[in-house]
Amino acid sequence: DRNKARGVLGIPKDAQVVVYHGRIEMYRKGLDVLMDAWEQICRDRPQLDLRLLLVGTGSDAAKLRSRIATMPLENILWVDEYVRDRTAIRRYLSAADVYTLPSRHEGFPVAPIEAMTCGLPVVAADAPGVPDILEGGEASGGLVVSRDDANALAAAISRILDRPVWCRELGKRARYRAENCFSLEAIGKQLYNFLLSENYE
């Protein structure tokens, strides 16, 4: 429950929350792009209670801390630690409205799928693997933007935040996509069918 999760985390019920969880690597994960985009989002909506929730740590934690310190914002909540407890991760994700993955480089990222299972729409850069997860774009519950483009990232996140009903609809589509394509049952069925197909050698 979103309100229950926010209560535990001390986030107001009427705030609009964007979340990222994963390793803190400024360039690879595009966190410099996210910081630029977040400043733009907040600058364009000074009347709204906006929160950016970051969960994770990594080799560039000091760089991110320094960057946040220079920003004219006080609405960034950063859990600077590796969070491995599934209940805790689910709580952080469930407290948000939108998930974002601004990465420049990925293999096949699991983090956005975790967010999708919590019913979050996803705004992600077109790093390898992401277009496969969000095949169909909006139909799969997300928006894919160009890598290294803070303006495009800000515009896509803003587009979802500004349309709460559509945001919830995208979240439902994301959950459906995750359950039907990436759950253990779905993957098991795909592997079973592949291994028994006539094309397998």
Side-chain angles (χ1 to χ4, degrees), residues 1-2 15 19 27 32-34 37 55 65 90 116 121-122 127 139 144 180 197 201:
D1 179 75
R2 185 177 69 174
V19 65
Y27 184 81
D32 55 329
V33 178
L34 177 56
V55 181
R65 191 174 298 108
R90 190 161 55 240
M116 292 163 72
V122 173
V144 180
N180 285 273
S197 71
E201 296 181 0

Side-chain angles (χ1 to χ4, degrees), residues 121-194:
V122 173
V123 176
D126 59 354
V130 170
D132 298 311
I133 294 172
L134 293 174
E135 183 180 9
E138 294 180 22
S140 295
L143 303 176
V144 180
V145 301
S146 299
R147 277 169 280 183
D148 217 2
D149 190 337
N151 290 331
L153 185 68
I157 293 173
S158 298
R159 184 180 166 204
I160 295 177
L161 290 177
D162 291 345
R163 301 168 64 187
V165 174
W166 187 55
C167 175
R168 289 190 291 272
E169 174 59 29
L170 284 180
K172 292 178 182 177
R173 296 177 190 176
R175 169 98 185 202
Y176 180 85
R177 170 77 173 167
E179 289 178 342
N180 285 273
C181 297
F182 305 113
S183 66
L184 291 176
E185 292 79 9
I187 296 298
K189 184 176 181 180
Q190 292 173 45
L191 286 172
Y192 179 83
N193 291 336
F194 173 75

Side-chain angles (χ1 to χ4, degrees), residues 54-76:
L54 306 173
V55 181
T57 192
S59 58
D60 287 337
K63 290 182 180 179
L64 179 59
R65 191 174 298 108
S66 177
R67 175 63 189 276
I68 292 174
T70 66
M71 297 171 68
L73 300 171
E74 297 181 355
N75 59 0
I76 299 176

Side-chain angles (χ1 to χ4, degrees), residues 29-67:
K29 293 296 185 178
L31 296 175
D32 55 329
V33 178
L34 177 56
M35 294 300 103
D36 289 342
W38 187 247
E39 283 195 80
Q40 182 176 328
I41 292 168
C42 295
R43 184 171 58 247
D44 294 342
R45 292 161 183 77
Q47 75 283 6
L48 298 179
D49 185 359
L50 301 171
R51 309 293 174 103
L52 177 61
L53 174 59
L54 306 173
V55 181
T57 192
S59 58
D60 287 337
K63 290 182 180 179
L64 179 59
R65 191 174 298 108
S66 177
R67 175 63 189 276

